[in-house]
Amino acid sequence: MTASAFLPRRSDARALLLLAVGYAVLALAGLNWGVYRGASTAVWPASGLAFAALFLGGVRLWPAILVGRLAAAIIVGSAPPFWADLVIALASAVSAALPVAVIKARMRLDPDLARVRDVMALIGASLVGGVISVVPGIGVLVLSGVSPPAQAPLAGVTWFLGYTTGSLLITPLILAWSRIRAEPSLFSWRLLGAAAIATGAALVIFLDLTPLPLRTWHLFPVLAWVAIAFRVRGVTLALVGTAVAALVSVGLGSGPLAELIGGSPARAFYAQDFIAVTAGTLLLLAAAADESRHQAALARAQTTKAAVFDAALDAIITTATDGRVVDWNREAERMFRLTKAEAVGRDLTELIIPPDHRDSHRRRLASLAAGGRAAVLGQRLELQVQRGDGVQFPAELSVNVATLDDGLHFTASLRDLTEQVSARQRLADQDQRLRATYEHAPVGIAEVDHNGRIRKVNEALCAITGRDRRTLLAMSIWDDSPTEGQGDERDLFTRQMAGQLDIYTLEKSFARADGETAWVELRSSRVDGGDGRPAYAVRVVRDITQEKRWAQQQSLLINELNHRVKNTLTTVQSITFQTLRNGGADAAVQTAIESRLLALSRAHDVLTRQNWEAADLAEIVDVAARPYLPGQAERLRVAGPQVRLAPQTALGLAMALQELATNALKYGAWSSPHGLVDIAWAVSADKLALTWRESGGPPVKRPKRRGFGTRLLERGVGPEVGGSCVLAFEPEGLACEITASVA
């Protein structure tokens, strides 16, 4: 303890004043009980206040004791001269300050006095303080003529016992109850009741209130019960009550102490002796009981701590200030591949810190030991550590500091971060790849909030819209879209942000920054937050403006081509009809050629309506066969699934169906009033199987020679449709099986 610890501070003014006043009041009470006027007293309570104040507030409060003692002497008009009172006051201050300073320098006194060593320290301080106070005090009384030299020994003993008794009564009382305001739970009515019982028992015994021959030792069982059951806090109240009862009995001349031989000073001496011995004994008994409870609780806590310590999922290591390992749990054994026996007692730095980092680790440890705890306490640090086999890995470290009897101890909790660091690196790599993909994607990407406000865009979207990133981030997804076209998307977006729709796709037009209208194909995906609620939407935008233009151009070209082909077919029909008529061709030949050209024209019309991409088989059947039955549609029965045909296949089937319909009208089922034709088809493995079957017409005979129509069906249709065409001349009606590719 340095000399500055004895110097009062400006902030101590209030404490100094209160202590000076309190000391003066208790000193006046002690002087009024004095055996020798102005000097030794039966109980000196001021000494107890002095010790308690210096223990709690610091030894720098000692001037208040000096001032308080002088003030009491002046007020009471003490017999010694002023210089003697000044010496006595200075001795009173030193007698409290010196023992307290020694104890504070060597140990930490617990105000609860819950350990035997704390009570022993207090008793020792009281005895030493009594000696320091008595020697100069009695000396100046003799020198000043207040006390005859012959009475000095008895006066010294009385002074010493009064000082010690006051210390053992008042100091424990103040210390034990000093935390009652911070912890009201320390007070209980049971404790107060026990102290009242002990005080009542003391009054009964010392004032001789019963006819029984009770002695002072009869009080010990009651006081011992209070000490064991209610510890120091309870026994301090009981001791004060007992001391009051003893002093009152001495003053009244009744009770066990009054029966002792001698006058008032002798009985006061016996009272002092009884109070001091009783106080010291019961304080030790209470502290022993308290310490026993603490030891039992500590043993239970140690058992619990050991279970938790070894069950912890983190490596927990305790070291002393010099870095030596004190404790090492099972997870530390597993993590560092060193047993507890191999680790305890060794330098932690050498055990787990890689060589390159050991110097910096030792510096941090020295800073901690020197008091620089704030830099690491309550924080989690990442560092490299190594196993017993030399393999290094990242770990998370947190440190706690505890002050124990043998000094500071550091408890480190370490968690292996290998997986977390790897995951973090993978996440960083993924994030980098995502950012690169996001920024350099050939399509526009945007993130929008619930209200459609744009929160993030990539460069491709800037290029598509013709706007820079800052401009887009100040816009919503509706700002560049025509109002009349927003209805459908607003409904889709609202449903998506309500969690009713995951993804939607649409095509939309918008105005570029230069005012031109552009088209995009948009796909909006919902992203949910950690709470499962929609957080935002990601919109992927592909510019299809050029595709739209190409489609318009293609449509224009196809329409032009269709018009020209239609005109060409009309011209071919006209030339053919004129040539056949002028050449005197047979009418049947003219009709056959005309019908075939019409079939081609009708099939061409179907393909034209579909932009020559594909034609529906049912529509081909309808335009190729049904015109031959005006008003008799029920005589053609059609059944089959929806099938889309390539243009070449559609034209081939149209020619075949027209040829079959012409034959049915002339010679087959439709030549009679009730004949029927059934057309059915099915698709399997990209192959179309179509059946034409006639019934209800005249009997069918196989022709002796094959005409143009038969040869057209059997030899021309198959290659045209990528399959085959087989005719069957069955007696009940003609049947035709056509297979075609629909790939």
Side-chain angles (χ1 to χ4, degrees):
M1 183 173 292
T2 61
S4 61
F6 292 89
L7 300 178
R9 304 169 185 169
R10 182 176 299 178
S11 58
D12 296 328
R14 182 170 178 271
L16 288 167
L17 177 61
L18 291 176
L19 178 57
V21 172
Y23 191 93
V25 170
L26 293 182
L28 287 172
L31 291 174
N32 287 328
W33 297 336
V35 176
Y36 299 101
R37 182 173 178 271
S40 57
T41 180
V43 176
W44 186 251
S47 63
L49 175 63
F51 275 117
L54 298 191
F55 273 125
L56 296 175
V59 293
R60 62 181 181 276
L61 300 181
W62 67 267
I65 301 172
L66 174 65
V67 173
R69 180 65 178 86
L70 276 177
I74 294 171
I75 293 171
V76 79
S78 62
F82 179 78
W83 66 268
D85 283 330
L86 181 61
V87 172
I88 293 172
L90 182 59
S92 298
V94 174
S95 66
L98 187 59
V100 170
V102 172
I103 291 175
K104 280 181 169 289
R106 294 182 175 272
M107 63 177 287
R108 178 179 175 273
L109 185 76
D110 183 4
D112 287 336
L113 301 176
R115 299 176 297 180
V116 172
R117 60 178 291 184
D118 294 330
V119 175
M120 292 293 293
L122 178 60
I123 294 174
S126 300
L127 296 175
V128 172
V131 172
I132 295 174
S133 175
V134 166
V135 173
I138 295 299
V140 296
L141 288 179
V142 172
L143 291 176
S144 63
V146 174
S147 174
Q151 292 183 351
L154 180 59
V157 171
T158 305
W159 184 315
F160 174 79
L161 288 176
Y163 186 99
T164 304
T165 303
S167 300
L168 295 180
L169 283 178
I170 305 303
T171 303
L173 180 68
I174 295 175
L175 291 180
W177 289 91
S178 62
R179 293 192 294 117
I180 188 65
R181 291 182 61 185
E183 299 182 48
S185 60
L186 297 177
F187 175 82
S188 72
W189 290 105
R190 291 179 63 249
L191 182 151
L192 193 61
I197 291 172
T199 302
L203 290 172
V204 168
I205 291 173
F206 284 109
L207 298 182
D208 203 10
L209 299 179
T210 67
L212 299 175
L214 297 177
R215 294 293 180 263
T216 55
W217 58 268
H218 288 119
L219 185 59
F220 272 93
V222 179
L223 295 175
W225 164 68
V226 175
I228 294 172
F230 298 96
R231 293 168 284 182
V232 173
R233 195 167 289 107
V235 82
T236 54
L237 295 178
L239 284 172
V240 170
T242 300
V244 171
L247 293 174
V248 170
S249 72
V250 170
L252 296 177
S254 63
L257 294 179
E259 298 175 3
L260 298 175
I261 301 173
S264 178
R267 288 195 294 270
F269 171 78
Y270 293 137
Q272 290 176 321
D273 187 34
F274 169 78
I275 295 171
V277 173
T278 301
T281 303
L282 290 176
L283 287 172
L284 287 172
L285 179 61
D290 211 353
E291 192 167 5
S292 177
R293 290 189 186 92
H294 280 299
Q295 290 295 337
L298 182 60
R300 291 193 298 271
Q302 287 290 351
T303 302
T304 304
K305 175 255 182 184
V308 174
F309 191 73
D310 283 332
L313 299 178
D314 294 343
I316 301 177
I317 303 170
T318 301
T319 67
T321 52
D322 60 0
R324 289 180 299 102
V325 175
V326 177
D327 212 345
W328 184 273
N329 74 340
R330 290 179 182 174
E331 181 60 20
E333 292 183 329
R334 187 201 65 78
M335 184 181 295
F336 295 103
R337 300 188 181 181
L338 292 168
T339 65
K340 183 175 182 179
E342 293 172 327
V344 171
R346 295 176 60 185
D347 185 358
L348 181 66
T349 304
E350 299 292 334
L351 283 180
I352 70 170
I353 303 300
D356 295 343
H357 302 135
R358 287 175 184 170
D359 290 341
S360 61
H361 183 265
R362 288 191 175 97
R363 286 194 296 270
R364 284 196 297 270
L365 190 63
S367 175
L368 272 176
R373 308 178 189 178
V376 295
L377 292 184
Q379 300 186 33
R380 294 184 178 274
L381 309 175
E382 286 190 18
L383 73 163
Q384 283 291 118
V385 294
Q386 69 177 17
R387 298 197 310 239
D389 55 8
V391 175
Q392 297 186 16
F393 61 93
E396 182 184 70
L397 168 71
S398 61
V399 179
N400 287 317
V401 181
T403 302
L404 303 180
D405 292 341
D406 55 348
L408 290 177
H409 282 70
F410 306 127
T411 298
S413 178
L414 294 108
R415 180 174 300 173
D416 189 346
L417 293 183
T418 302
E419 288 298 326
Q420 290 90 325
V421 170
S422 298
R424 194 162 57 203
Q425 184 60 48
R426 289 194 300 269
L427 185 61
D429 293 342
Q430 292 174 0
D431 183 63
Q432 185 175 1
R433 287 195 297 270
L434 179 61
R435 283 200 304 270
T437 303
Y438 188 93
E439 287 299 330
H440 301 102
V443 293
I445 303 175
E447 295 178 8
V448 298
D449 63 14
H450 284 77
N451 300 317
R453 301 293 302 180
I454 301 173
R455 296 302 180 215
K456 187 176 181 181
V457 297
N458 69 345
E459 286 298 327
L461 188 63
C462 296
I464 291 172
T465 61
R467 296 177 173 87
D468 58 31
R469 194 184 300 265
R470 178 178 297 179
T471 302
L472 287 174
L473 294 179
M475 296 173 60
S476 76
I477 59 177
W478 319 111
D479 290 347
D480 58 1
S481 301
T483 305
E484 62 274 9
Q486 293 181 10
D488 291 342
E489 186 182 8
R490 281 188 180 274
D491 178 63
L492 292 171
F493 185 77
T494 300
R495 290 170 55 199
Q496 187 176 61
M497 288 297 98
Q500 302 171 5
L501 194 65
D502 293 333
I503 298 172
Y504 68 83
T505 303
L506 55 80
E507 293 182 1
K508 63 176 289 186
S509 63
F510 70 96
R512 287 174 48 88
D514 55 11
E516 292 188 7
T517 299
W519 282 84
V520 292
E521 180 185 64
L522 179 142
R523 182 181 179 88
S524 178
S525 303
R526 189 186 76 237
V527 178
D528 295 336
D531 57 358
R533 300 173 61 185
Y536 58 94
V538 176
R539 297 162 68 88
V540 179
V541 177
R542 186 171 68 88
D543 189 352
I544 59 171
T545 304
Q546 193 62 38
E547 293 179 18
K548 283 285 187 180
R549 292 172 182 167
W550 289 339
Q552 292 173 357
Q553 184 70 19
Q554 184 184 36
S555 177
L556 178 64
L557 292 175
I558 288 175
N559 289 336
E560 178 66 21
L561 178 62
N562 287 338
H563 177 69
R564 295 189 181 189
V565 170
K566 189 76 171 179
N567 289 341
T568 301
L569 282 174
T570 302
T571 302
V572 169
Q573 285 177 333
S574 177
I575 293 172
T576 301
F577 297 159
Q578 291 178 12
T579 301
L580 291 174
R581 282 196 302 269
N582 294 336
D586 186 83
V589 174
Q590 293 183 38
T591 302
I593 292 176
E594 182 180 359
S595 63
R596 289 170 183 138
L597 288 174
L598 287 173
L600 281 173
S601 179
R602 294 190 192 103
H604 180 272
D605 288 340
V606 173
L607 289 169
T608 299
R609 288 196 295 271
Q610 300 296 328
N611 291 324
W612 280 81
E613 294 177 356
D616 189 76
L617 176 55
E619 192 173 2
I620 292 295
V621 171
D622 192 65
V623 300
R626 204 170 295 281
Y628 292 90
L629 295 170
Q632 302 180 61
E634 69 278 359
R635 297 178 66 186
L636 175 62
R637 298 184 298 196
V638 180
Q642 183 179 9
V643 181
R644 303 279 288 173
L645 302 175
Q648 183 176 349
T649 304
L651 290 173
L653 285 176
M655 291 291 294
L657 292 172
Q658 187 275 334
E659 194 66 40
L660 289 168
T662 301
N663 183 74
L665 186 63
K666 288 183 177 182
Y667 313 110
W670 288 341
S671 65
S672 64
H674 304 294
L676 300 173
V677 173
D678 288 286
I679 302 176
W681 65 85
V683 177
S684 177
D686 295 335
K687 284 292 184 181
L688 169 69
L690 183 144
T691 302
W692 171 289
R693 190 173 298 279
E694 300 179 17
S695 62
V700 176
K701 294 181 181 179
R702 181 178 293 277
K704 294 181 179 180
R705 68 178 184 85
R706 296 186 180 276
F708 176 76
T710 302
R711 292 195 302 273
L712 175 65
L713 288 170
E714 291 182 334
R715 298 177 185 177
V717 173
E720 188 72 15
V721 299
S724 63
C725 180
V726 180
L727 295 173
F729 298 94
E730 299 175 356
E732 61 273 13
L734 177 69
C736 180
E737 297 286 344
I738 300 176
T739 61
S741 173
V742 293

